[in-house]
Amino acid sequence: MSSTAATDKKPEPVFVQPKPYKVDLEPGKNQPFCDGSHREAGVFKPKKITVDEAKTYFLCGCKYTHNEQGFCDGTHRKEEGIKKYNEFLLKANGKLKSKAEEATKYQEELRAELIKSQRKQKVANVVAGLSVSLIIVGIASKYYNLK
């Protein structure tokens, strides 16, 4: 049985930033930026970076470079990179809109609770006032009945 297009599809990297990382590298040193987060998903492997001389290099920030070692090749300035960046921004914007809608809904719920609490407080104040009035009337009637 053939597999579906979804299972054949190669996983896509997450767009990080639309410009390269400027780093100073030296031969024989460990590669920078590996935080092990690729292990969680288990679909990506880090790219090993080897350099022949100590100098400033530019590593890909958009994650769509065609350079085998991960150096910036300017893809972020080409149509392919700009398209990926726009997709990234649209997705991020959608998440922000969703969070804003959730926050607005929660704010409305809190406002309704506040109004409900204020009404309860007003009722409690009226009841307390009536109670004090009844106590005063009771004390006054007792005082006047004693005379």
Side-chain angles (χ1 to χ4, degrees):
M1 208 158 187
S2 66
S3 58
T4 64
T7 55
D8 289 342
K9 188 176 181 184
K10 190 175 177 183
E12 296 240 353
V14 176
F15 197 100
V16 179
Q17 68 178 28
K19 61 183 182 180
Y21 292 98
K22 182 179 178 181
V23 293
D24 294 323
L25 300 177
E26 297 177 30
K29 299 283 183 168
N30 287 341
Q31 62 178 334
F33 302 121
C34 183
D35 61 2
S37 61
H38 56 84
R39 289 187 200 120
E40 291 176 21
V43 292
F44 292 109
K45 293 184 179 181
K47 293 184 177 189
K48 184 162 176 80
I49 298 172
T50 55
V51 295
D52 296 330
E53 62 179 303
K55 68 176 190 177
T56 300
Y57 292 89
F58 294 89
L59 299 177
C60 177
C62 72
K63 304 300 176 214
Y64 287 93
T65 184
H66 299 288
N67 181 283
E68 287 298 315
Q69 286 193 315
F71 293 109
C72 178
D73 64 0
T75 299
H76 62 278
R77 286 184 267 139
K78 298 174 186 165
E79 184 179 349
E80 172 188 8
I82 293 169
K83 181 181 175 189
K84 293 295 182 184
Y85 185 55
N86 286 338
E87 290 171 3
F88 167 78
L89 290 176
L90 285 170
K91 187 175 180 181
N93 188 38
K95 287 179 184 178
L96 289 174
K97 278 179 83 174
S98 176
K99 284 183 180 182
E101 289 169 359
E102 288 175 20
T104 300
K105 184 178 176 183
Y106 183 63
Q107 190 177 28
E108 290 170 1
E109 289 172 4
L110 288 176
R111 189 174 287 119
E113 282 187 45
L114 176 64
I115 290 169
K116 188 176 176 182
S117 295
Q118 288 172 334
R119 286 182 187 151
K120 284 182 180 181
Q121 186 62 48
K122 284 180 184 178
V123 169
N125 289 344
V126 169
V127 169
L130 290 173
S131 296
V132 169
S133 298
L134 289 173
I135 291 171
I136 291 172
V137 168
I139 291 172
S141 68
K142 189 174 185 180
Y143 175 75
Y144 285 115
N145 286 336
L146 291 176
K147 288 187 175 183

